[in-house]
């Protein structure tokens, strides 16, 4: 089993990569991530926590598998791998449920893309990040060339993509690649606590917020204002919106978990 999925009673879906050798992504691993994303969608997860078992979060593609092929067979194989991996990322991005990633050890190549996909990215203080692609003559996948410019800016993104230098966790936090640094022994606990808190929140509002932020850099300002207005109006009349306002006026904690999700 390369990826496990467990959904708890609060609606937190814990997705764990558990393949040896740094959770390297081969075709089976990519397919397992796609199946895990589909399970999160099917289960109606309220938050998703993506982790990696072992010393490293994910070291990227399985180069041993790739090196065993050549020519058209290699090209076709890599297309299969990226189709599955990108399918998983599309599903995670399309959920209302926020995605929390917890990174220990190395996040390289596609592992960097998986880490960057998190709405919140927790990193152990001794973790490291590297693009790695051009160092082996490859170009990016896993959304890396999309997410990096948005997170750290185009200039820094090109630096990371062309030089492949290892970014220590503290620098990753400073440049906006990471949300929070955590002591290594506290990583699993703090990331799980954050996912649990999000699962108790307003899932519909989270989904609307995710879509607005994702589209912000490609939309004209006026168009984006219109989108904000539409999303806000829909949120205000939703069960979550009514519960949130009622709780605020009554000076109590809102109970979003029992408000029907639109």
């Amino acid at each position: 089993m390369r990826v496990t999925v467990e959904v708890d009673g609060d609606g937190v879906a814990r997705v764990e990569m558990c393949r040896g050798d740094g959770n390297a992504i081969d075709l089976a691993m990519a397919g397992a991530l796609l199946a895990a994303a589909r399970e999160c969608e099917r289960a109606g997860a309220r938050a998703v926590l993506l982790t990696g078992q072992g010393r490293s979060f994910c070291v990227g593609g399985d180069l041993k598998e790739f090196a065993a092929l050549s020519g058209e067979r290699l090209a076709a194989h890599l297309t299969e791998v990226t189709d599955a991996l990108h399918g998983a990322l599309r599903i995670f991005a399309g959920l209302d449920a926020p995605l929390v990633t917890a990174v220990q050890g190395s996040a390289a190549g596609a592992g960097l893309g998986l880490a960057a996909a998190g709405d919140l990215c927790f990193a152990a203080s001794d973790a490291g990040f590297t693009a790695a692609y051009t160092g082996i003559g490859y170009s990016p996948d896993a959304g890396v060339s999309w997410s990096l410019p948005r997170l750290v800016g185009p200039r820094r993104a090109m630096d990371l993509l062309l030089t492949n230098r290892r970014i220590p966790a503290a620098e990753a936090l400073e440049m906006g690649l990471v949300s929070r640094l955590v002591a290594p022994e506290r990583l699993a606990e703090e990331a799980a606590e954050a996912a649990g808190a999000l699962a108790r929140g307003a899932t519909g509002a989270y989904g609307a917020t995710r879509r607005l932020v994702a589209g912000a850099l490609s939309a004209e300002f006026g168009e984006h204002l219109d989108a904000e207005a539409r999303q806000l109006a829909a949120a205000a009349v939703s069960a979550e919106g009514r519960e949130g306002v009622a709780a605020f006026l009554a000076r109590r904690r809102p109970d979003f978990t029992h408000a029907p999700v639109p």
Side-chain angles (χ1 to χ4, degrees), residues 26-55:
D26 60 359
L27 180 56
M29 179 75 150
L33 282 167
L34 177 56
R38 287 171 173 163
E39 175 60 20
C40 293
E41 184 177 42
R42 186 201 64 77
R46 297 181 62 86
V48 178
L49 174 59
L50 177 61
T51 68
Q53 192 178 89
R55 290 185 301 176

Side-chain angles (χ1 to χ4, degrees), residues 140-197:
D141 68 347
V144 169
S145 60
W146 187 92
S147 58
L148 277 185
R150 287 164 170 77
L151 291 172
V152 307
R155 183 67 67 189
R156 275 179 165 165
M158 287 304 297
D159 176 23
L160 303 185
L161 290 167
L162 297 182
T163 69
N164 301 300
R165 65 187 183 89
R166 182 183 184 276
I167 307 302
E171 184 178 355
L173 176 67
E174 183 275 329
M175 66 171 54
L177 181 56
V178 166
S179 305
R180 304 179 197 175
L181 286 193
V182 183
E185 65 274 13
R186 292 275 301 163
L187 177 65
E189 181 178 355
E190 294 203 19
E193 287 177 356

Side-chain angles (χ1 to χ4, degrees), residues 14 38-40 57 83 101 114 127 139 147 159 168 174 179 183 195 197 212-213 219 221 246 248 252:
R14 180 185 175 89
R38 287 171 173 163
E39 175 60 20
C40 293
F57 174 72
D83 281 351
T101 53
L114 290 171
S139 58
S147 58
D159 176 23
E174 183 275 329
S179 305
L212 285 168
V213 172
F221 184 55
F248 178 83
R252 62 173 174 82

Side-chain angles (χ1 to χ4, degrees), residues 1-2 17-25 29 53-54 59 62:
M1 183 71 77
R2 283 169 163 78
M17 297 177 285
C18 48
R19 184 185 181 216
D21 299 326
N23 299 310
I25 298 176
M29 179 75 150
Q53 192 178 89
V59 297
D62 186 341

